[in-house]
């Protein structure tokens, strides 16, 4: 298959008149400065976007949590209500629709931070991984790849309090129970099996080293000041320091949020080359705070992006949020280059897909065409599209050489109708 991109993001910059050849799901030729040949892709063509942090079922809360001021913790109670209602069939229906929405937004791979493991009272299903298999199937049917970050979740607080209520469906009893269950999960062409520690609230310190060295490994880190205070009281250190003591940090690990960090925490994360996934729209929606993205990147932590609670599914908004939130915090502009923001938005390595995230020979043939003619993008410089575009400007999306979005519509199903059905 041959394609011709008027403008394409190649090697960290915009190139013109790029001929692309695709075979067996891979880019086999990428040639800037070419004569038009093959299917024309208008606008700016980017590598496929990677949503490194998702809780698919949180999509059911969009627009339904703003009735009073509340807090992160009151929002969590509403989230637990949704978590308590889902079964494998309804979770598949919801996740397929959510992943379809991601596809329309240019996302070709998702990291699903998965902890809805068992029945509502904690009783395992006949297939103890039935909920995880529902997510893997949903991603396949929506046309995107998935890294299932199967999550260890054992306690309700840093002091080791047991799981209660709907939380019981999150837990496997102990580390051995989790290891036994997850040993049955398998990679496939469109799925990778990763791991996650929910947080230092949910995993006792004695179990942390049991996941050291796994990759990809993700963990919620210092999203709330209360987590830091509880960890300090229980362990005499910050959550970052606790993870470091137990060998959890390193290049295969991604810390999600990392909002409330000390200078020492930033140095440890960067020095161990631990990745950091920022989720600006969720952190904004929940009033979590603004994380030190620039300081983390300067210290050595690779950045990735996630839509987390799906208050918005738009990686352009997440990318520019990284820069714009820094501007609010510092009252200065120009913290990140466009190239840095695109790298964060396409960071498939955080999800274990080292062969994706670039338009380059030998890489998976993922691409996203973004209109430069909409009311939002008209007149913007080519690389300024990152600051102007929204998910609504995505016209075409290819995953592994297969076009899953054409002219702004999913080629497999009506995503809006699927969302209405799942959320009714």
């Amino acid at each position: 298959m041959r394609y011709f991109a008027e403008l394409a993001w190649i090697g960290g910059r915009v190139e013109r008149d790029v001929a692309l050849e695709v075979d067996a799901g891979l880019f086999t030729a990428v040639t800037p400065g070419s004569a038009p040949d093959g299917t024309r892709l208008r606008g700016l063509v980017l590598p496929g976007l990677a949503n490194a942090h998702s809780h698919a079922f949180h999509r059911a809360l969009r627009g339904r949590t703003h009735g009073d001021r509340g807090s992160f913790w009151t929002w969590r109670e509403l989230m637990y209500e949704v978590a308590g209602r889902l079964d494998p069939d309804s979770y598949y229906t919801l996740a397929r629709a959510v992943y379809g929405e991601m596809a329309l937004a240019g996302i070709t791979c998702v990291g699903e931070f998965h902890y809805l493991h068992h029945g509502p009272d904690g009783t395992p299903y006949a297939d103890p991984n039935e909920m995880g298999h529902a997510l893997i199937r949903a991603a396949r049917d929506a046309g995107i790849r998935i890294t299932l970050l199967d999550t260890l979740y054992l306690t309700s607080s840093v002091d080791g309090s047991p799981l209660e209520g709907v939380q019981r469906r999150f837990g496997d009893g102990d580390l051995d129970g989790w290891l036994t269950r997850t040993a049955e999960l398998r990679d496939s062409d469109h799925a990778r099996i990763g791991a996650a520690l929910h947080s230092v609230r949910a995993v006792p310190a004695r179990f942390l080293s049991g996941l050291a060295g796994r990759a990809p490994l993700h963990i919620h880190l210092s999203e709330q000041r209360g987590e830091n205070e509880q960890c300090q009281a229980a362990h005499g250190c910050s959550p970052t320091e606790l993870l470091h003591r137990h060998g959890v940090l390193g290049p295969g690990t991604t810390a999600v949020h990392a909002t409330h960090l000390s200078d020492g925490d930033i140095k440890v994360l960067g020095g161990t080359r631990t990745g950091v996934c920022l989720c600006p729209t969720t952190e904004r929606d929940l009033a979590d705070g603004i994380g030190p993205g620039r300081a983390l990147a300067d210290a050595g932590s690779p950045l990735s992006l996630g839509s987390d609670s799906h208050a918005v599914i738009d990686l352009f908004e997440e990318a520019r949020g990284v820069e714009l939130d820094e501007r609010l915090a510092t009252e200065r502009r120009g913290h990140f280059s466009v190239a840095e923001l695109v790298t964060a938005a396409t960071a498939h390595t955080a999800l274990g897909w080292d062969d994706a995230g670039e338009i380059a020979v030998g890489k998976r043939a993922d691409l996203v065409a973004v209109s430069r003619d909409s009311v939002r993008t008209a007149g913007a410089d080519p690389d300024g599209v990152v600051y102007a575009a929204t998910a609504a400007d995505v016209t075409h999306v290819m995953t592994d050489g297969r076009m899953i979005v054409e002219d702004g519509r999913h080629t497999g199903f009506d995503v809006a109708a699927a969302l209405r059905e799942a959320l009714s």
Side-chain angles (χ1 to χ4, degrees), residues 255-337:
V256 181
H257 301 303
T259 305
H260 301 288
L261 303 177
S262 68
D263 290 345
D265 292 337
I266 294 170
K267 183 176 180 180
V268 167
L269 290 168
T272 56
R273 298 297 185 265
T274 300
V276 172
C277 178
L278 302 174
C279 307
T281 63
T282 290
E283 290 147 9
R284 188 184 310 155
D285 184 69
L286 297 180
D288 287 341
I290 297 172
R294 184 68 264 172
L296 284 161
D298 289 343
S301 289
L303 300 184
S304 55
L305 301 174
S307 63
D308 190 6
S309 68
H310 311 312
V312 176
I313 295 179
D314 188 335
L315 265 287
F316 298 105
E317 180 65 21
E318 304 294 349
R320 60 178 165 262
V322 173
E323 165 66 23
L324 297 181
D325 285 355
E326 288 275 354
R327 294 183 186 184
L328 286 174
T330 65
E331 301 179 42
R332 290 185 294 105
R333 305 180 77 199
H335 298 271
F336 290 89
S337 68

Side-chain angles (χ1 to χ4, degrees), residues 190-213:
H190 85 285
R192 295 278 188 274
I193 306 303
L197 296 160
H198 180 272
S199 61
V200 298
R201 300 193 311 273
V203 180
R206 67 183 183 277
F207 293 129
L208 292 174
S209 61
L211 276 77

